[in-house]
Amino acid sequence: MNYPVELKRQEIDALAIRRGKARIPAGSAAAGPEAASPLDQLPVNTVGLALSGGGIRSATVSLGVLQALAQANRLRQIDYVATASGGGYTAGFLGRLFTRALIRENPDPCGRVQAILTNNQSPQIDWLRRYSNYIFNSNSDLVEGVGVFWRNLTTLGLVYIFLGTVVFGFLRIMGDWFARTGQLPELPSTAVIQLSHWWLLPLEFLAAAVIPCTLAYWLAPDRRSTAPFSPFSITAWIFLVAAFGLGCSLTDAPLVCGVVVIILLGSAAWFEAARFHLPAQTKAADIGTAIRNRLSRALGENLTWLFWFVLWVLLDSLARTVADGRLRMLMVGWGALLAPLLPFLRQMATLLAKPPAANAGSAAPFSWTESAAFRAGLIAFPLAAFLLVLLDSSIHWIFNHNPALGVTLTVIGMVVSIIIGRAFHFLNYSSLQESYAARLCRTFLGASNPARYRSAGEGGGCDVTVVHPNDDLPFEDYHPEESGGPLHLVSVCVNETIDAASQRDVPDSKGLTMCVGPCGVSVGRNFHALWTTAPERPSWKVRFHRIVERSAREPGRRTALEAITRAGTLFHVLKGKTAAPVVVERLSLSSWVAISGAAFGTGTGRTTRLGMALLFGLANLRLGYWWDSRLSWSDRPGRFPSSPWRRLKNLPTLFVPMQNLLLSELRGRFGGPSQRLWNLSDGGFFDNTAMYELLRRRIPFIIAVDAGHDPDFSCQDLAELVRKARTDFRATIEFLDDPAQRLALRGPIRERVPLWITEWIRGEALGKLSEIGEAGKVHAALARVTYVDDEKQVTWILFLKSSLTGDEPVDVTAYQRGNPKFPNDPTTSQFFGESQWESYRMLGEHIGSVVFR
């Protein structure tokens, strides 16, 4: 089910159209033995190009490699291009170029594209050279950047203030009511601090939940016993209940004895609750184990709740004290310490951000005190606490001086929060994603727009800061393969830090891959769907969204996804309760490419951490995108059922679902594809090499361009891919120590490189993987991929890495002398000057010209 036959057949048909337009001579040595391919298999000479992540650095190196392929007349033979993060910038430029009218109408569209790429003075390449640094703010764009930042942060702050007013106002009202009715007696105030009216809540929760749940564990029977209770524990429990029950009337401390009796009775209640509705598959001999497991998980959750109750009492007590006029100097000093950091909050968050796979598989011992998440937490947690105390104390001050006004503001906040609670578009409009996608669209997609470069060439100039309607196009209309271009597979990461079944934190991967292609969508390893037209009679939800999405009314649009299901499996992340296709949220090409390049934010796949998420959320450095699958939790059949307790906890979020998602970003907690809205981010957070989807399809020949941040050439991104290929596809990737001999057709027949692949590569340009980047050595290595379930299937990977060996052009060598970090400038540095951009582009072109025949 890794690559279902339904998806494969559609891509085979698309490849047939592509190859016809690309004028690949069937049966030639360059084309390979095409006639030997079965109808339900990809051609045996299928070629895939993987462009790695790495921001503008990767995009520029990838452009140079594309130019080298064009010079060798090899670009027309590329069937797939798979991209992650920055590699998608260049692939989007290439794909959009193939969809332009001047290319589609050309008798040889691939030849025309290759001519454009090989000409460094072509208007398309010149546009990229001049404006590729527009994606990120330069000094000239500072005014717009400040305006966008201020607008989004202010609006987001108002949403939090309205929600905080409701929460703190409601708690103040309930606390005052409990204090008046005597249910929460108020302790006398000290000269230092005014205790919260909720001071007794942690003690009551300790007596009602934590201690009883602890004792209930010992009432469970032994796993080898069929008795309903542990005989020794139940005997002791009965004796204690009787003794302390008698002590209520015979001792001078009836309250203490009564509390002990209540705790003991509570332990029995917790035991019965754990025994209630056990799974049907639980055997009689395993009842005790199942009960103890439930009670252990319940105790852990109760202790977590106790921690938050204590924290709330401390926060609320501090806020009440500040509202009463005491400890104001503490708040002033607290604010004075944080104020100098606020203007530089974005810069600090950006500096703490790391490349997607910076720590993956590192051999160095991990020190949490030196981690970026810990350092981010040192800034984020004091800032978040200060803001919470400030808002809570403001609410208390209003209630102290005018209770009616406090109640009025609470009601207003509740109404406003409920009204905007379903405005899910606010999630993306308030982030940096929209501005980022717009800039990327004008830069890389606009580079092939004749209205831009023709106007610029005439001297008037088409302003890159102005939107042009012909830059972008809806993704369902994006088919470069129909003009001879490669099928573009865009990889993004679906953040999933919470397991859907158990609700426990996912410890490692914290994200699934999502591939959006011209024929369908793949999520994770097993979930696939095909693009199709929307049903004639859509549901009321779809009709409602069509009011907003005007173009979705157009007939024949492939805007729905039809799930590819497996026999015996009900659950599918893109399948509803009916057989009708799901009309998902429509996005444009620039949006998908921008999502794939969302290199920092609150959700970062396997590197998601609470401290980083909180800091980025407070600074509103949110580049991820909340994509609407249009399937709510209850719309998916076969989903793991939610417990009554879990539904009760989630009840308040039903009124403010949008704000709940904002808070989940601050906490770095994402429900994954089992929810309606999926948090999508940089595809490099799952696989920065972009080869994952090509290995899924078992492409015979993969050209991988790795321009990720790797200053010590440890190839951690590649190592992560090797692990994923082994576990997900049962594939073994082995790099050759003698690539030149394999290319010379020496050694065992099965281990030889096919002749049609050898004609691509200059054998003398290859070496060992460990030799890449060494002076006088090589830029490339060759790997062989074998599959456990198919001994005949072999994939060959030509691995090109952004590196220096000493044979580069003089301008590239000179630039490196003055800039020692080249060619591994940090991914956070995205503003390239002309000399830097040209050096990276020329390096990619040089590597390609050295390796390709």
Side-chain angles (χ1 to χ4, degrees), residues 141-180:
D141 304 315
L142 184 61
V143 174
E144 178 185 354
V146 170
V148 171
F149 174 72
W150 172 257
R151 178 198 64 208
N152 293 345
L153 190 61
T154 303
T155 310
L156 200 63
L158 289 175
V159 172
Y160 288 137
I161 289 174
F162 281 123
L163 183 62
T165 301
V166 176
V167 174
F168 292 137
F170 177 77
L171 291 174
R172 168 63 188 252
I173 295 171
M174 294 300 297
D176 290 347
W177 182 76
F178 284 147
R180 287 195 303 269

Side-chain angles (χ1 to χ4, degrees), residues 738 740-753:
D738 56 347
Q741 293 184 12
R742 300 291 180 88
L743 289 172
L745 303 182
R746 298 175 184 173
I749 296 177
R750 186 172 179 271
E751 297 182 1
R752 295 178 184 174
V753 182

Side-chain angles (χ1 to χ4, degrees), residues 767-848:
K768 299 179 182 179
L769 181 64
S770 59
E771 294 176 340
I772 293 180
E774 295 183 5
K777 295 296 184 178
V778 296
H779 300 282
L782 191 66
R784 181 171 172 266
V785 186
T786 56
Y787 304 89
V788 173
D789 56 352
D790 188 352
E791 295 182 355
K792 296 182 180 180
Q793 181 71 46
V794 177
T795 293
W796 296 94
I797 299 176
L798 176 60
F799 184 71
L800 312 179
K801 191 162 183 63
S802 178
S803 57
L804 298 174
T805 62
D807 62 343
E808 294 77 23
V810 63
D811 61 317
V812 176
T813 304
Y815 182 83
Q816 194 276 334
R817 291 196 193 102
N819 301 271
K821 293 182 179 180
F822 178 84
N824 279 287
D825 289 290
T827 307
T828 52
S829 175
Q830 295 291 295
F831 183 80
F832 278 18
E834 184 174 347
S835 59
Q836 187 178 16
W837 187 90
E838 179 60 21
S839 297
Y840 273 104
R841 186 206 64 79
M842 189 61 218
L843 177 62
E845 182 180 349
H846 166 74
I847 293 174

Side-chain angles (χ1 to χ4, degrees), residues 490-526:
V490 184
S491 295
V492 301
C493 177
V494 185
N495 290 298
E496 184 182 31
T497 62
I498 307 172
D499 181 68
S502 63
Q503 293 295 292
R504 62 186 291 269
D505 290 342
V506 178
D508 189 16
S509 61
K510 299 184 181 181
L512 298 173
T513 182
M514 179 178 178
C515 173
V516 184
C519 300
V521 171
S522 298
V523 181
R525 205 170 35 177
N526 299 319

Side-chain angles (χ1 to χ4, degrees), residues 478-639:
Y478 176 58
H479 292 282
E481 69 276 5
E482 294 180 354
S483 301
L487 281 71
H488 189 181
L489 306 177
V490 184
S491 295
V492 301
C493 177
V494 185
N495 290 298
E496 184 182 31
T497 62
I498 307 172
D499 181 68
S502 63
Q503 293 295 292
R504 62 186 291 269
D505 290 342
V506 178
D508 189 16
S509 61
K510 299 184 181 181
L512 298 173
T513 182
M514 179 178 178
C515 173
V516 184
C519 300
V521 171
S522 298
V523 181
R525 205 170 35 177
N526 299 319
F527 301 116
H528 309 271
L530 299 175
W531 290 113
T532 185
T533 56
E536 294 182 0
R537 295 184 62 84
S539 64
W540 68 269
K541 294 181 181 179
V542 175
R543 293 196 298 271
F544 171 78
H545 285 290
R546 283 184 174 179
I547 298 174
V548 181
E549 296 182 6
R550 179 180 56 187
S551 57
R553 304 174 187 173
E554 301 175 17
R557 288 280 186 178
R558 290 164 59 90
T559 58
L561 286 171
E562 184 176 2
I564 302 174
T565 57
R566 291 183 296 176
T569 303
L570 288 177
F571 177 73
H572 194 291
V573 297
L574 290 169
K575 182 180 182 301
K577 293 181 178 179
T578 66
V582 179
V583 184
V584 296
E585 181 183 1
R586 301 172 64 247
L587 294 178
S588 64
L589 170 62
S590 65
S591 295
W592 281 117
V593 173
I595 293 170
S596 179
F600 56 84
T602 54
T604 56
R606 61 181 177 272
T607 61
T608 302
R609 299 290 185 273
L610 173 59
M612 293 295 295
L614 183 59
L615 179 61
F616 275 82
L618 291 175
N620 200 32
L621 286 175
R622 300 160 47 237
L623 262 185
Y625 188 89
W626 287 97
W627 184 67
D628 194 350
S629 69
R630 304 279 165 79
L631 286 172
S632 63
W633 178 88
S634 59
D635 289 335
R636 294 182 174 92
R639 191 188 186 280

Side-chain angles (χ1 to χ4, degrees), residues 56 59 89-90 93 128 132 135 440-448:
I56 193 67
Y89 303 170
T90 297
F93 157 71
L128 292 177
S132 61
I135 296 181
L440 188 149
C441 175
R442 299 170 204 166
T443 301
F444 283 89
L445 306 188
S448 60

Side-chain angles (χ1 to χ4, degrees), residues 630-711:
R630 304 279 165 79
L631 286 172
S632 63
W633 178 88
S634 59
D635 289 335
R636 294 182 174 92
R639 191 188 186 280
F640 191 85
S642 180
S643 64
W645 170 238
R646 193 179 301 168
R647 290 196 293 268
L648 180 62
K649 288 193 302 180
N650 293 334
L651 186 61
T653 65
L654 298 178
F655 299 97
V656 285
M658 185 272 291
Q659 294 90 328
N660 179 55
L661 295 177
L662 284 175
L663 294 177
S664 73
E665 287 201 70
L666 291 176
R667 297 177 296 158
R669 292 177 63 84
F670 305 100
S674 61
Q675 305 296 322
R676 174 183 167 181
L677 275 84
W678 305 359
N679 186 266
L680 308 180
S681 60
D682 196 315
F685 293 137
F686 182 86
D687 168 37
N688 202 46
T689 69
M691 284 190 276
Y692 186 88
E693 290 300 325
L694 299 179
L695 290 175
R696 181 201 297 275
R697 290 158 174 80
R698 302 190 176 184
I699 304 298
F701 183 38
I702 298 174
I703 302 170
V705 181
D706 184 1
H709 183 253
D710 190 11

